[in-house]
Amino acid sequence: MSGFVDCHCHLAAPDFQTDIDEVIEESKKTGILALVAVAEHAGEFERLIELSNKYSGFVLPCLGVHPVQGNPPQDQRSATFEDLQNALPLIEKYKDCLLAIGEVGLDFTPRIASTGVQKNEQKKVFIEQIEIAKQFDLPLNVHSRSAGRPTINLLKEQGAQKVLLHAFDGKPSVAMEGVKAGFYFSIPPSIIRSEQQKLVKQLPLEFICLETDSPALGPVKQVRNEPKNISVSCQYIAQIKGLSVENVMEVTTQNAFKLFPKLQKFIRI
């Protein structure tokens, strides 16, 4: 099966409100097989399900409560258990449509979570969503900004099985602890301008997936990212590892199918 899988993108983001159809058509032209679309809060859930129905077999939804809530950048805050409680009925309602639970995790950026109370509440929200993923037998699509080690440790402690750590910003040595646990790591196009290039060098290709995190983390800072830029990630990984683009595309896509068991069932080629 030849083509890319974008393992983490935000299609319900306001940035795509006016031209989502064109964005999706462009992604198909690039050779993308599937878009794994994550949610950040309950307010995005219905929109994601709507897109997954409209683009059935191509847009594959993940629902979850992100550790950062509110509108960027002024009103952002650390997630609370109440945020999760508001989301749970919809996660339950759409559980059979979901490819994974996400975007979930920890964010210990000081402006978001500066106190022990905030960090502990984020952990509670995350642990509950790890349990939901186990209950529904779904993988986890995970955020870990400024919290690489705590995130990996918590996932291991809770016995999480199928895990994708997206845009990991921790040390490569910490990432390798995740690899030992069988976790995958997805690389966005921003890698070409990122300090995380050492991470790509150290991660075995068998544990790498591709993502765009659209509309964020594009190849050019502060320019809207789109799924079609998935090829930038692929080309960069190939260059760093001295492999062909075709080889990186093939292995990362195989990895996505291993990580997301329902992908084979949902996808329509």
Side-chain angles (χ1 to χ4, degrees):
M1 194 177 292
S2 181
F4 303 107
V5 177
D6 184 346
C7 289
H8 187 104
C9 58
H10 296 265
L11 300 182
D15 309 62
F16 292 131
Q17 201 160 352
T18 58
D19 65 344
I20 188 64
D21 297 329
E22 290 87 341
V23 166
I24 287 174
E25 283 311 310
E26 284 296 315
S27 70
K28 288 180 178 177
K29 288 178 193 171
T30 313
I32 292 176
L33 300 173
L35 299 175
V36 180
V38 296
E40 293 190 351
H41 54 82
E44 291 184 331
F45 289 6
E46 298 284 7
R47 173 65 174 155
L48 265 189
I49 297 299
E50 179 188 309
L51 286 171
S52 74
N53 287 334
K54 184 173 183 181
Y55 297 100
S56 181
F58 189 71
V59 172
L60 307 175
C62 310
L63 301 185
V65 173
H66 192 285
V68 181
Q69 295 291 296
N71 299 315
Q74 294 86 0
D75 300 324
Q76 287 189 313
R77 59 172 176 79
S78 191
T80 66
F81 212 74
E82 187 181 350
D83 296 316
L84 179 59
Q85 291 301 117
N86 292 338
L88 287 176
L90 286 172
I91 294 174
E92 173 69 34
K93 178 180 177 182
Y94 293 118
K95 63 185 178 187
D96 294 334
C97 311
L98 302 184
L99 187 72
I101 297 295
E103 177 176 0
V104 301
L106 301 175
D107 192 312
F108 291 171
T109 311
R111 68 183 174 84
I112 300 297
S114 57
T115 69
V117 171
Q118 288 171 317
K119 290 176 182 177
N120 284 335
E121 186 138 26
Q122 275 193 26
K123 285 180 179 176
K124 284 181 189 171
V125 171
F126 188 24
I127 288 168
E128 184 68 22
Q129 293 186 99
I130 295 171
E131 287 307 309
I132 290 166
K134 284 188 200 168
Q135 184 187 334
F136 297 157
D137 195 21
L138 292 171
L140 289 153
N141 209 318
V142 179
H143 174 103
S144 57
R145 187 169 57 185
S146 300
R149 191 180 293 280
T151 302
I152 286 175
N153 286 346
L154 195 60
L155 286 161
K156 285 160 67 176
E157 285 164 18
Q158 298 299 315
Q161 294 295 317
K162 293 195 177 292
V163 172
L164 178 72
L165 286 140
H166 107 91
F168 188 77
D169 71 353
K171 291 179 182 174
S173 58
V174 175
M176 293 310 291
E177 292 174 26
V179 167
K180 284 178 193 165
F183 302 161
Y184 292 86
F185 292 78
S186 54
I187 308 297
S190 59
I191 191 67
I192 64 169
R193 56 180 174 84
S194 161
E195 293 174 12
Q196 285 306 91
Q197 295 173 1
K198 287 178 187 171
L199 179 68
V200 172
K201 287 179 185 173
Q202 289 201 28
L203 284 173
L205 186 60
E206 291 70 30
F207 290 91
I208 294 178
C209 291
L210 303 179
E211 67 156 298
T212 61
D213 198 32
S214 303
L217 300 189
V220 181
K221 199 171 185 179
Q222 293 180 332
V223 173
R224 184 184 79 166
N225 191 18
E226 294 184 23
K228 68 180 180 182
N229 290 326
I230 196 91
S231 58
V232 175
S233 299
C234 187
Q235 287 161 8
Y236 181 82
I237 295 164
Q239 179 188 325
I240 287 292
K241 292 199 170 290
L243 300 167
S244 70
V245 170
E246 291 74 21
N247 187 6
V248 172
M249 177 174 69
E250 183 182 350
V251 175
T252 54
T253 295
Q254 284 171 357
N255 293 343
F257 277 88
K258 289 175 194 167
L259 168 65
F260 300 116
K262 283 185 169 183
L263 197 52
Q264 193 81 49
K265 184 179 100 174
F266 285 165
I267 205 166
R268 289 180 191 165
I269 308 300

